[in-house]
Coordinates of all heavy atoms in Angstrom, one line a residue:
L295 N 35.0 34.6 67.9 CA 36.1 34.3 67.0 C 37.4 35.0 67.5 O 38.5 34.4 67.4 CB 35.8 34.7 65.6 CG 34.7 33.9 64.9 CD1 34.4 34.4 63.5 CD2 35.1 32.4 64.8
F296 N 37.2 36.2 68.0 CA 38.4 36.9 68.5 C 39.0 36.3 69.7 O 40.2 36.2 69.8 CB 38.0 38.4 68.8 CG 37.7 39.2 67.6 CD1 36.5 39.7 67.3 CD2 38.8 39.5 66.7 CE1 36.2 40.5 66.2 CE2 38.5 40.3 65.6 CZ 37.3 40.8 65.3
S297 N 38.1 35.8 70.6 CA 38.7 35.1 71.8 C 39.4 33.8 71.3 O 40.5 33.5 71.9 CB 37.6 34.8 72.8 OG 36.6 33.9 72.2
G298 N 38.9 33.1 70.3 CA 39.6 31.9 69.8 C 40.9 32.3 69.2 O 41.9 31.6 69.4
L299 N 40.9 33.4 68.5 CA 42.2 33.8 67.9 C 43.2 34.2 68.9 O 44.4 33.7 68.9 CB 41.9 35.1 67.0 CG 43.0 35.6 66.2 CD1 43.4 34.5 65.1 CD2 42.6 36.9 65.5
F300 N 42.8 34.9 69.9 CA 43.8 35.4 70.9 C 44.1 34.3 72.0 O 45.3 34.1 72.3 CB 43.3 36.6 71.7 CG 43.4 37.8 70.8 CD1 42.2 38.4 70.2 CD2 44.6 38.4 70.5 CE1 42.3 39.5 69.4 CE2 44.7 39.5 69.7 CZ 43.5 40.1 69.1
M301 N 43.1 33.6 72.4 CA 43.3 32.5 73.5 C 43.8 31.2 72.9 O 44.3 30.4 73.6 CB 42.1 32.3 74.3 CG 41.7 33.5 75.1 SD 40.2 33.5 76.1 CE 39.5 31.9 75.9
G302 N 43.6 31.0 71.6 CA 44.0 29.8 71.0 C 45.2 29.9 70.1 O 46.3 29.5 70.5
M303 N 45.1 30.6 69.0 CA 46.2 30.7 68.0 C 47.4 31.5 68.6 O 48.5 31.0 68.5 CB 45.6 31.3 66.7 CG 46.6 31.3 65.6 SD 45.8 31.8 64.1 CE 46.7 30.9 62.9
F304 N 47.1 32.7 69.1 CA 48.2 33.5 69.5 C 49.0 33.0 70.7 O 50.2 33.1 70.7 CB 47.7 34.9 69.8 CG 47.4 35.8 68.6 CD1 46.7 36.9 68.7 CD2 47.7 35.3 67.3 CE1 46.3 37.7 67.6 CE2 47.4 36.1 66.2 CZ 46.7 37.2 66.3
I305 N 48.3 32.4 71.6 CA 49.0 31.8 72.8 C 50.0 30.7 72.3 O 51.1 30.6 72.7 CB 48.0 31.3 73.8 CG1 47.4 32.5 74.5 CG2 48.7 30.4 74.8 CD1 46.4 32.2 75.6
I306 N 49.5 29.8 71.4 CA 50.3 28.8 70.8 C 51.6 29.4 70.1 O 52.7 28.9 70.3 CB 49.5 27.9 69.9 CG1 48.4 27.2 70.6 CG2 50.4 26.8 69.2 CD1 48.9 26.3 71.7
L307 N 51.3 30.4 69.3 CA 52.4 31.0 68.5 C 53.4 31.7 69.4 O 54.6 31.7 69.2 CB 51.8 31.9 67.4 CG 51.0 31.2 66.3 CD1 50.4 32.2 65.4 CD2 51.9 30.2 65.6
I308 N 52.9 32.4 70.4 CA 53.8 33.1 71.4 C 54.7 32.0 72.1 O 55.9 32.2 72.3 CB 53.0 33.9 72.3 CG1 52.4 35.1 71.6 CG2 53.8 34.4 73.5 CD1 51.4 35.9 72.4
A309 N 54.0 31.0 72.6 CA 54.8 29.9 73.3 C 55.8 29.3 72.3 O 57.0 29.1 72.7 CB 53.9 28.8 73.8
F310 N 55.5 29.1 71.1 CA 56.4 28.5 70.1 C 57.6 29.5 69.9 O 58.7 29.1 69.8 CB 55.7 28.2 68.8 CG 56.5 27.4 67.8 CD1 56.6 26.1 67.9 CD2 57.2 28.1 66.8 CE1 57.4 25.4 66.9 CE2 58.0 27.5 65.9 CZ 58.1 26.1 65.9
F311 N 57.2 30.8 69.7 CA 58.3 31.8 69.5 C 59.2 31.9 70.7 O 60.4 32.0 70.5 CB 57.6 33.1 69.2 CG 58.6 34.2 68.9 CD1 59.2 34.3 67.7 CD2 58.9 35.1 69.9 CE1 60.2 35.3 67.4 CE2 59.9 36.1 69.7 CZ 60.5 36.2 68.4
I312 N 58.7 31.8 71.9 CA 59.6 31.9 73.1 C 60.6 30.8 73.1 O 61.7 31.0 73.5 CB 58.7 32.0 74.3 CG1 58.0 33.4 74.4 CG2 59.5 31.7 75.6 CD1 57.0 33.4 75.5
Q313 N 60.1 29.6 72.7 CA 61.0 28.4 72.8 C 61.9 28.3 71.6 O 63.0 27.8 71.8 CB 60.1 27.2 72.9 CG 59.3 27.1 74.2 CD 58.5 25.9 74.3 OE1 58.8 24.8 73.8 NE2 57.4 26.0 75.0
T314 N 61.5 28.8 70.4 CA 62.4 28.6 69.3 C 63.0 29.9 68.7 O 63.9 29.8 67.9 CB 61.6 27.9 68.1 OG1 60.5 28.8 67.7 CG2 61.0 26.6 68.6
G315 N 62.4 31.0 69.0 CA 62.9 32.3 68.5 C 62.3 32.6 67.1 O 62.8 33.5 66.5
T316 N 61.4 31.8 66.6 CA 60.8 32.0 65.3 C 59.4 31.4 65.2 O 59.0 30.7 66.1 CB 61.7 31.3 64.2 OG1 61.2 31.6 62.9 CG2 61.7 29.8 64.4
V317 N 58.7 31.9 64.2 CA 57.3 31.3 64.0 C 57.4 30.7 62.6 O 57.7 31.4 61.6 CB 56.2 32.4 64.1 CG1 54.9 31.9 63.6 CG2 56.2 33.0 65.4
T318 N 57.1 29.5 62.5 CA 57.1 28.7 61.2 C 55.7 28.5 60.7 O 54.7 28.7 61.4 CB 57.8 27.4 61.4 OG1 57.0 26.6 62.3 CG2 59.2 27.6 62.0
T319 N 55.7 28.1 59.4 CA 54.4 27.8 58.8 C 53.8 26.6 59.5 O 52.6 26.6 59.7 CB 54.7 27.4 57.3 OG1 55.3 28.5 56.7 CG2 53.4 27.1 56.6
G320 N 54.6 25.6 59.9 CA 54.1 24.5 60.7 C 53.4 24.9 62.0 O 52.4 24.3 62.3
S321 N 54.0 25.8 62.7 CA 53.4 26.3 64.0 C 52.1 27.0 63.7 O 51.2 26.8 64.5 CB 54.4 27.1 64.7 OG 54.6 28.4 64.1
I322 N 52.0 27.7 62.7 CA 50.7 28.4 62.3 C 49.7 27.3 62.0 O 48.5 27.4 62.4 CB 50.9 29.4 61.2 CG1 51.8 30.5 61.6 CG2 49.6 29.9 60.7 CD1 52.3 31.5 60.6
L323 N 50.1 26.4 61.1 CA 49.1 25.3 60.8 C 48.7 24.5 62.0 O 47.6 24.0 62.0 CB 49.8 24.4 59.7 CG 50.0 25.1 58.3 CD1 50.8 24.1 57.4 CD2 48.7 25.5 57.7
F324 N 49.6 24.3 62.9 CA 49.3 23.5 64.1 C 48.3 24.3 65.0 O 47.5 23.7 65.7 CB 50.6 23.2 64.9 CG 50.4 22.4 66.2 CD1 50.1 21.1 66.1 CD2 50.4 23.1 67.4 CE1 49.9 20.4 67.3 CE2 50.2 22.4 68.6 CZ 49.9 21.0 68.5
S325 N 48.4 25.6 65.0 CA 47.6 26.4 65.9 C 46.1 26.6 65.4 O 45.3 27.0 66.2 CB 48.2 27.7 66.2 OG 48.3 28.5 65.0
I326 N 45.9 26.4 64.1 CA 44.6 26.6 63.6 C 43.5 25.7 64.2 O 42.4 26.3 64.6 CB 44.6 26.5 62.0 CG1 45.4 27.6 61.4 CG2 43.2 26.4 61.4 CD1 45.6 27.6 60.0
P327 N 43.7 24.4 64.4 CA 42.6 23.7 65.0 C 42.4 24.1 66.5 O 41.3 24.0 67.0 CB 43.0 22.2 64.9 CG 44.4 22.2 64.5 CD 44.7 23.5 63.9
I328 N 43.4 24.5 67.1 CA 43.3 25.0 68.5 C 42.5 26.3 68.6 O 41.6 26.4 69.4 CB 44.7 25.2 69.2 CG1 45.4 23.8 69.2 CG2 44.5 25.8 70.6 CD1 46.8 23.9 69.6
F329 N 42.7 27.1 67.6 CA 41.9 28.4 67.5 C 40.4 28.0 67.3 O 39.6 28.6 67.9 CB 42.5 29.2 66.3 CG 41.5 30.1 65.6 CD1 40.9 31.1 66.2 CD2 41.2 29.9 64.3 CE1 40.0 32.0 65.6 CE2 40.3 30.7 63.6 CZ 39.7 31.7 64.3
I330 N 40.2 27.0 66.4 CA 38.8 26.7 66.1 C 38.1 26.0 67.4 O 37.0 26.3 67.7 CB 38.7 25.7 64.9 CG1 39.1 26.5 63.7 CG2 37.3 25.1 64.7 CD1 39.4 25.6 62.5
L331 N 38.9 25.2 68.1 CA 38.3 24.5 69.3 C 38.0 25.5 70.4 O 37.0 25.4 71.1 CB 39.2 23.4 69.7 CG 39.3 22.2 68.8 CD1 40.3 21.2 69.2 CD2 37.9 21.5 68.7
V332 N 38.9 26.5 70.6 CA 38.6 27.5 71.6 C 37.4 28.3 71.2 O 36.6 28.6 72.1 CB 39.9 28.4 71.8 CG1 39.5 29.6 72.7 CG2 41.0 27.6 72.5
S333 N 37.3 28.7 69.9 CA 36.1 29.4 69.5 C 34.9 28.5 69.7 O 33.8 29.0 70.0 CB 36.2 29.7 68.0 OG 37.3 30.6 67.8
A334 N 35.0 27.2 69.5 CA 33.8 26.3 69.7 C 33.4 26.3 71.1 O 32.2 26.2 71.4 CB 34.2 24.9 69.2
I335 N 34.3 26.3 72.0 CA 34.0 26.4 73.5 C 33.1 27.6 73.8 O 32.1 27.5 74.4 CB 35.2 26.3 74.4 CG1 35.9 25.0 74.3 CG2 34.9 26.7 75.8 CD1 37.3 24.9 74.9
N336 N 33.6 28.7 73.2 CA 32.8 30.0 73.5 C 31.5 30.0 72.7 O 30.5 30.5 73.3 CB 33.7 31.2 73.0 CG 34.8 31.4 73.9 OD1 34.7 31.3 75.2 ND2 36.0 31.7 73.4
L337 N 31.4 29.4 71.6 CA 30.2 29.3 70.8 C 29.2 28.4 71.6 O 28.0 28.7 71.7 CB 30.4 28.7 69.4 CG 29.1 28.5 68.6 CD1 28.4 29.7 68.4 CD2 29.5 27.8 67.3
S338 N 29.7 27.3 72.2 CA 28.8 26.4 72.9 C 28.2 27.1 74.2 O 27.1 26.9 74.5 CB 29.5 25.1 73.3 OG 30.6 25.3 74.1
N339 N 29.1 27.9 74.8 CA 28.6 28.7 75.9 C 27.6 29.7 75.5 O 26.6 29.9 76.2 CB 29.8 29.4 76.6 CG 29.4 30.1 77.9 OD1 28.7 29.5 78.7 ND2 29.8 31.3 78.0
N340 N 27.8 30.4 74.4 CA 26.8 31.3 73.9 C 25.5 30.6 73.5 O 24.4 31.2 73.6 CB 27.3 32.1 72.7 CG 28.4 33.1 73.1 OD1 28.4 33.6 74.2 ND2 29.3 33.5 72.2
I341 N 25.5 29.4 73.0 CA 24.3 28.7 72.6 C 23.5 28.4 73.9 O 22.3 28.5 74.0 CB 24.6 27.3 71.9 CG1 25.2 27.7 70.5 CG2 23.4 26.4 71.8 CD1 25.8 26.4 69.8
R342 N 24.2 28.1 75.0 CA 23.6 27.8 76.3 C 22.9 29.1 76.8 O 21.9 29.0 77.4 CB 24.7 27.3 77.3 CG 24.1 27.0 78.6 CD 25.2 26.5 79.6 NE 26.2 27.6 79.8 CZ 26.2 28.5 80.7 NH1 25.1 28.6 81.5 NH2 27.1 29.4 80.8
D343 N 23.5 30.2 76.6 CA 23.0 31.5 77.1 C 22.1 32.2 76.1 O 21.8 33.4 76.2 CB 24.2 32.4 77.4 CG 25.0 31.9 78.6 OD1 24.5 31.1 79.4 OD2 26.2 32.3 78.7
L344 N 21.6 31.5 75.1 CA 20.9 32.1 74.0 C 19.7 32.9 74.5 O 19.5 34.1 74.1 CB 20.4 31.1 73.0 CG 19.6 31.5 71.8 CD1 20.5 32.4 70.9 CD2 19.2 30.3 71.0
D345 N 18.8 32.4 75.3 CA 17.6 33.1 75.7 C 17.9 34.3 76.5 O 17.3 35.4 76.3 CB 16.7 32.1 76.6 CG 16.2 31.0 75.8 OD1 16.0 31.1 74.5 OD2 16.0 29.9 76.3
G346 N 18.9 34.2 77.4 CA 19.3 35.4 78.2 C 19.9 36.5 77.3 O 19.7 37.7 77.5
D347 N 20.7 36.1 76.3 CA 21.3 37.1 75.4 C 20.3 37.8 74.6 O 20.4 39.0 74.3 CB 22.3 36.4 74.5 CG 23.6 36.0 75.3 OD1 23.8 36.5 76.4 OD2 24.4 35.2 74.8
K348 N 19.2 37.0 74.1 CA 18.2 37.7 73.4 C 17.4 38.7 74.2 O 17.1 39.8 73.7 CB 17.1 36.6 72.9 CG 17.5 35.9 71.6 CD 16.4 35.0 71.2 CE 16.7 34.2 70.0 NZ 15.7 33.3 69.6
E349 N 17.1 38.3 75.5 CA 16.4 39.2 76.3 C 17.2 40.5 76.6 O 16.6 41.6 76.8 CB 16.1 38.5 77.7 CG 15.0 37.5 77.5 CD 14.8 36.7 78.8 OE1 15.4 37.1 79.9 OE2 14.1 35.6 78.8
N350 N 18.5 40.4 76.7 CA 19.3 41.5 77.1 C 19.9 42.3 75.8 O 20.7 43.2 76.0 CB 20.5 41.1 78.0 CG 20.0 40.6 79.3 OD1 19.1 41.3 79.9 ND2 20.5 39.5 79.8
G351 N 19.5 41.9 74.6 CA 19.9 42.6 73.4 C 21.3 42.3 73.0 O 21.8 43.1 72.2
R352 N 21.9 41.3 73.4 CA 23.3 40.9 73.0 C 23.2 40.4 71.6 O 22.3 39.6 71.2 CB 23.9 40.0 73.9 CG 24.2 40.6 75.3 CD 25.0 39.7 76.2 NE 25.1 40.2 77.5 CZ 24.5 39.7 78.6 NH1 23.8 38.6 78.5 NH2 24.7 40.3 79.7
K353 N 24.2 40.7 70.8 CA 24.3 40.2 69.4 C 25.4 39.1 69.3 O 26.5 39.4 68.7 CB 24.6 41.3 68.4 CG 23.6 42.4 68.5 CD 22.2 41.9 67.9 CE 21.2 43.1 67.9 NZ 19.9 42.6 67.7
T354 N 25.2 37.9 69.8 CA 26.1 36.8 69.7 C 25.8 36.1 68.4 O 24.7 36.2 67.8 CB 26.0 35.9 70.9 OG1 24.7 35.4 71.0 CG2 26.4 36.7 72.2
I355 N 26.7 35.2 68.0 CA 26.5 34.4 66.8 C 25.2 33.5 66.9 O 24.4 33.5 66.0 CB 27.7 33.5 66.5 CG1 28.8 34.5 66.0 CG2 27.4 32.5 65.4 CD1 30.2 33.8 65.8
P356 N 24.9 32.9 68.1 CA 23.7 32.1 68.1 C 22.4 33.0 68.1 O 21.4 32.5 67.5 CB 23.8 31.4 69.5 CG 25.2 31.3 69.8 CD 25.8 32.5 69.2
V357 N 22.5 34.2 68.6 CA 21.3 35.1 68.5 C 21.1 35.5 67.0 O 20.0 35.5 66.5 CB 21.5 36.3 69.3 CG1 20.5 37.4 69.1 CG2 21.5 36.0 70.8
L358 N 22.2 35.7 66.3 CA 22.1 36.1 64.9 C 21.7 35.0 64.0 O 20.9 35.2 63.0 CB 23.4 36.8 64.4 CG 23.8 38.0 65.1 CD1 25.2 38.5 64.7 CD2 22.8 39.2 64.9
L359 N 22.2 33.8 64.2 CA 22.0 32.6 63.4 C 20.7 31.8 63.8 O 20.1 31.2 62.9 CB 23.2 31.7 63.4 CG 24.5 32.1 62.8 CD1 25.5 31.1 62.9 CD2 24.3 32.5 61.3
G360 N 20.4 31.8 65.0 CA 19.4 31.0 65.6 C 20.0 29.7 66.2 O 21.2 29.4 65.8
K361 N 19.3 29.0 67.0 CA 19.9 27.9 67.8 C 20.3 26.8 66.8 O 21.4 26.2 67.0 CB 18.9 27.4 68.8 CG 19.5 26.4 69.7 CD 18.5 26.1 70.9 CE 19.2 25.1 71.8 NZ 18.4 24.9 73.0
K362 N 19.4 26.4 65.9 CA 19.7 25.2 65.1 C 20.9 25.5 64.2 O 21.8 24.6 64.1 CB 18.5 24.8 64.2 CG 17.4 24.1 65.0 CD 16.3 23.6 64.1 CE 15.3 22.9 65.0 NZ 14.3 22.2 64.2
K363 N 21.0 26.6 63.6 CA 22.1 27.0 62.7 C 23.4 27.1 63.5 O 24.5 26.8 63.1 CB 21.9 28.2 61.9 CG 20.9 28.0 60.8 CD 20.6 29.3 60.0 CE 19.6 29.0 59.0 NZ 19.3 30.3 58.2
A364 N 23.3 27.6 64.8 CA 24.5 27.7 65.6 C 25.0 26.4 66.0 O 26.2 26.1 66.1 CB 24.2 28.6 66.9
I365 N 24.1 25.4 66.3 CA 24.5 24.1 66.6 C 25.2 23.4 65.4 O 26.2 22.7 65.5 CB 23.4 23.2 67.1 CG1 23.0 23.8 68.5 CG2 23.7 21.8 67.2 CD1 21.7 23.2 69.1
C366 N 24.6 23.7 64.2 CA 25.2 23.2 63.0 C 26.6 23.8 62.8 O 27.6 23.0 62.4 CB 24.3 23.5 61.8 SG 24.9 22.9 60.2
L367 N 26.8 25.1 63.0 CA 28.1 25.7 62.9 C 29.1 25.0 63.9 O 30.2 24.8 63.6 CB 28.0 27.2 63.2 CG 29.3 28.0 63.2 CD1 30.1 27.9 61.9 CD2 29.1 29.4 63.6
L368 N 28.6 24.8 65.1 CA 29.5 24.1 66.1 C 29.9 22.7 65.6 O 31.1 22.4 65.8 CB 28.7 24.0 67.4 CG 29.4 23.4 68.6 CD1 30.6 24.3 69.0 CD2 28.5 23.2 69.8
A369 N 29.0 22.0 65.0 CA 29.4 20.7 64.5 C 30.4 20.8 63.4 O 31.3 20.0 63.3 CB 28.1 19.9 64.0
I370 N 30.2 21.8 62.5 CA 31.2 22.0 61.4 C 32.5 22.4 62.0 O 33.6 21.9 61.5 CB 30.6 23.1 60.5 CG1 29.4 22.6 59.7 CG2 31.7 23.6 59.5 CD1 28.7 23.7 59.0
M371 N 32.6 23.2 63.0 CA 33.8 23.6 63.6 C 34.6 22.4 64.2 O 35.8 22.2 64.0 CB 33.6 24.7 64.7 CG 33.2 26.0 64.1 SD 32.6 27.1 65.4 CE 34.2 27.6 66.1
F372 N 33.8 21.5 64.9 CA 34.5 20.3 65.5 C 35.0 19.4 64.3 O 36.1 18.9 64.4 CB 33.5 19.5 66.3 CG 33.4 20.1 67.7 CD1 32.1 20.4 68.2 CD2 34.5 20.3 68.5 CE1 32.0 20.9 69.5 CE2 34.3 20.8 69.8 CZ 33.1 21.1 70.3
T373 N 34.2 19.2 63.3 CA 34.5 18.4 62.2 C 35.8 18.9 61.5 O 36.7 18.2 61.2 CB 33.4 18.2 61.2 OG1 32.2 17.7 61.9 CG2 33.7 17.3 60.1
F374 N 35.8 20.2 61.2 CA 36.9 20.8 60.5 C 38.2 20.7 61.3 O 39.2 20.3 60.7 CB 36.6 22.3 60.2 CG 37.7 23.0 59.5 CD1 37.8 22.9 58.1 CD2 38.6 23.8 60.1 CE1 38.8 23.5 57.4 CE2 39.7 24.4 59.5 CZ 39.7 24.3 58.1
S375 N 38.1 20.9 62.6 CA 39.4 20.8 63.4 C 39.8 19.4 63.5 O 41.0 19.1 63.5 CB 39.1 21.4 64.8 OG 38.2 20.7 65.5
Y376 N 38.9 18.4 63.5 CA 39.3 17.0 63.6 C 40.0 16.6 62.2 O 41.0 16.0 62.2 CB 38.1 16.2 63.8 CG 38.3 14.7 63.7 CD1 39.0 14.0 64.8 CD2 38.0 13.9 62.6 CE1 39.3 12.7 64.7 CE2 38.3 12.6 62.5 CZ 38.9 12.0 63.5 OH 39.2 10.6 63.4
L377 N 39.3 17.0 61.1 CA 39.9 16.7 59.8 C 41.2 17.4 59.6 O 42.1 16.9 58.9 CB 38.9 17.1 58.7 CG 37.6 16.2 58.7 CD1 36.7 16.7 57.6 CD2 38.0 14.7 58.5
W378 N 41.4 18.6 60.1 CA 42.6 19.4 59.9 C 43.8 18.6 60.6 O 44.9 18.5 60.0 CB 42.5 20.7 60.6 CG 43.7 21.6 60.3 CD1 44.8 21.7 61.0 CD2 43.8 22.6 59.3 NE1 45.6 22.6 60.5 CE2 45.0 23.2 59.4 CE3 42.9 23.0 58.2 CZ2 45.5 24.2 58.5 CZ3 43.4 24.0 57.4 CH2 44.6 24.6 57.5
V379 N 43.5 18.0 61.7 CA 44.6 17.3 62.4 C 44.9 16.0 61.7 O 46.0 15.6 61.5 CB 44.2 17.0 63.9 CG1 45.2 16.1 64.5 CG2 44.1 18.3 64.7

């Protein structure tokens, strides 16, 4: 979630601020689905690495939730970002 926040939402807001000199409510609302989609990319990568992360003791969301629930969360994230737009 942190990588989605920084690589998705903040980059959009920084670019918007550089071009306009302000951050508006619209720019924040526009950046939310991008934040979710960047987080979804990282979540899908963590789902792919689930077995290795378990073996090495990493505490990623798929390790904590389990594979099926993590895939369900990924589907919810895609659906939410689509509906948001």
